[in-house]
Amino acid sequence: MTLREAPVELPALQPTSGRPFGLYLHVPFCITRCGYCDFNTYTPAELGGVNPDAWMQALRAELELAAARLDAPTVDTVFVGGGTPSLLGGRRVATLLDMVRESFELAPDAEITTEANPESAWPDFFDATREAGYTRVSLGMQSVSPRVLGVLDRIHTPNRSAAAAREALEAGFEHVSLDLIYGTPGESDDDVLRSVDTAVETGVDHVSAYALVVEEGTALARRVRRGELAAPDDDVLAHRYELVDARLAEAGMNWYEVSNWSRPGGECRHNLGYWNGGQWWGAGPGAHGYVGATRWWNAKHPNAYGQLLADSALPVAGFEQLDAEASHTEDVLLRIRLREGLPLSRLYPDERERAESVIADGLLVPEGDRLVLTPRGRLLADGVVRTLLG
């Protein structure tokens, strides 16, 4: 049984003029828990009686409260993530967008994305969501290697991801993305290259590729700790990243963020909002929001989340106010990861001096009034940030 949580009162929120505004809707449902995943997701046995319709009713209530609290700013991007949104089916995912429109005005060119898993997204799902107004779909591919999928506890077959991507394109989606993971124990260079080539051959315009991270509390972490699997090796991860980057560049997909590649115009605008200091309201269990100088997070369990909204309270579990120094740190940390680079004007004088040593080390290159990571700098981006900030 989930304990009832006391509501946390947010301070006044005032969206900063001129910044993009997005909505993130978190779907907390999964059929099984992948061994590497530490996201706020729940299998049927963990839900405590919460069903999708009850969750959607609570989500509608949060969106109504959010719109009233913010005086309903125009929404530039919507991102439905999870969890597994495609488990809801096309009709329910279409209804989520209807709920957004009931409370907010969408910009005429709004980007509207849903995540989907290949094993639960079929032509009828893509047809329904495209007809509802979704413009972008992001599919969890991870790998085409059966042994890699097995280690990751993914339940889709190796060929299903590519088939789902083609079905999304045939349904008329303007933008389709495939997500890859590299560095899984037992994976080979050939596994990685076959996965990248398969993604490119589908005709999608966006690929994300992430190094496997062993998160504490996951089944993967327990297997590594018991010695059943080797921990990912940093040198191997760097090599695999270089393989991915080179292969995608050959195919006409260029990096625009350290872990993201696209054809021209295929960049994910919602994620660019995060990296470029945009603002968003995160709706759903465990979702995070950021408006003005306030970051907050919702109650994590769907039961506690729904109980707060049933009492007409925002489902906020906590918040923090970012001071100027914290905001500056995040600004440098996020913008340095972008292909367009970090504007020199964002750095303090002493940080500009330290940037000279990073340039001399071959990790940054000046491009006009910006600093851009070199290929080696992308592999060491966190270290670059630490040096800049001092």
Side-chain angles (χ1 to χ4, degrees):
M1 180 177 178
T2 304
L3 295 176
R4 198 174 194 88
E5 296 192 16
V8 173
E9 183 61 32
L10 279 178
L13 300 175
Q14 181 58 52
T16 304
S17 178
R19 292 187 186 177
F21 183 83
L23 285 175
Y24 171 75
L25 278 56
H26 186 70
V27 180
F29 308 114
C30 281
I31 288 292
T32 62
R33 186 178 302 282
C34 298
Y36 62 92
C37 179
D38 70 339
F39 292 170
N40 188 46
T41 62
Y42 300 85
T43 62
E46 300 168 328
L47 284 169
V50 176
N51 60 55
D53 292 325
W55 164 79
M56 288 180 72
Q57 182 179 349
L59 187 73
R60 174 180 271 115
E62 184 182 0
L63 290 171
E64 291 171 352
L65 290 172
R69 188 65 180 267
L70 297 175
D71 195 22
T74 299
V75 174
D76 299 294
T77 62
V78 178
F79 195 106
V80 179
T84 312
S86 47
L87 278 180
L88 299 174
R91 180 181 59 80
R92 283 198 181 101
V93 174
T95 299
L96 294 180
L97 188 53
D98 291 337
M99 288 161 45
V100 168
R101 291 188 176 111
E102 289 167 7
S103 294
F104 290 88
E105 179 181 352
L106 294 177
D109 64 342
E111 176 194 81
I112 305 166
T113 303
T114 182
E115 291 184 335
N117 273 3
E119 76 278 1
S120 57
W122 300 90
D124 59 344
F125 173 85
F126 298 121
D127 289 340
T129 49
R130 182 68 191 101
E131 184 179 352
Y134 284 82
T135 64
R136 189 173 183 277
V137 63
S138 180
L139 287 156
M141 181 180 191
Q142 320 316 347
S143 177
V144 296
S145 165
R147 67 173 175 271
V148 170
L149 293 175
V151 172
L152 296 175
D153 294 324
R154 299 291 293 186
I155 61 175
H156 63 80
T157 58
N159 297 328
R160 178 60 205 149
S161 299
R166 293 188 178 99
E167 290 162 5
L169 291 167
E170 289 168 4
F173 272 91
E174 300 165 38
H175 305 292
V176 179
S177 177
L178 286 167
D179 293 353
L180 302 176
I181 288 178
Y182 58 88
T184 301
E187 173 192 74
S188 68
D189 287 356
D190 185 58
D191 290 330
V192 174
L193 292 173
R194 285 191 300 109
S195 298
V196 174
D197 289 345
T198 300
V200 169
E201 289 163 4
T202 64
V204 300
D205 66 346
H206 190 284
V207 171
S208 299
Y210 303 102
L212 179 67
V213 176
V214 180
E215 301 284 1
E216 281 302 315
T218 63
L220 179 63
R222 291 190 289 274
R223 294 184 69 185
V224 169
R225 189 165 54 248
R226 290 195 297 263
E228 297 173 15
L229 295 172
D233 179 89
D234 288 344
D235 290 336
V236 171
L237 292 175
H239 173 62
R240 298 270 161 78
Y241 179 89
E242 292 170 339
L243 290 178
V244 170
D245 182 55
R247 202 70 145 211
L248 289 173
E250 289 173 9
M253 286 192 183
N254 296 312
W255 77 285
Y256 71 97
E257 192 274 342
V258 168
S259 299
N260 290 271
W261 293 257
S262 76
R263 302 190 191 280
E267 300 86 352
C268 178
R269 287 168 48 202
H270 185 84
N271 287 342
L272 281 170
Y274 294 153
W275 298 318
N276 276 317
Q279 300 168 106
W280 70 93
W281 188 286
H288 287 227
Y290 178 52
V291 172
T294 304
R295 178 187 288 116
W296 71 94
W297 48 93
N298 283 347
K300 294 186 72 172
H301 196 281
N303 219 324
Y305 169 81
Q307 287 171 352
L308 288 166
L309 285 157
D311 293 335
S312 300
L314 282 171
V316 176
F319 70 90
E320 60 181 344
Q321 297 283 85
L322 273 65
D323 60 19
E325 197 59 35
S327 295
H328 174 72
T329 296
E330 288 205 353
D331 193 46
V332 173
L333 177 69
L334 295 173
R335 289 179 186 268
I336 198 69
R337 295 179 63 86
L338 295 171
R339 173 62 185 86
E340 67 182 29
L342 172 70
L344 278 167
S345 60
R346 298 275 179 175
L347 294 177
Y348 299 147
D350 59 325
E351 293 169 345
R352 293 183 198 178
E353 291 181 11
R354 286 192 288 273
E356 293 300 325
S357 68
V358 184
I359 293 169
D361 288 340
L363 303 180
L364 284 175
V365 61
E367 290 189 6
D369 61 352
R370 294 171 179 266
L371 297 174
V372 177
L373 290 169
T374 64
R376 192 163 71 90
R378 279 186 267 159
L379 298 172
L380 301 169
D382 291 344
V384 170
V385 171
R386 287 193 295 271
T387 300
L388 291 176
L389 295 176

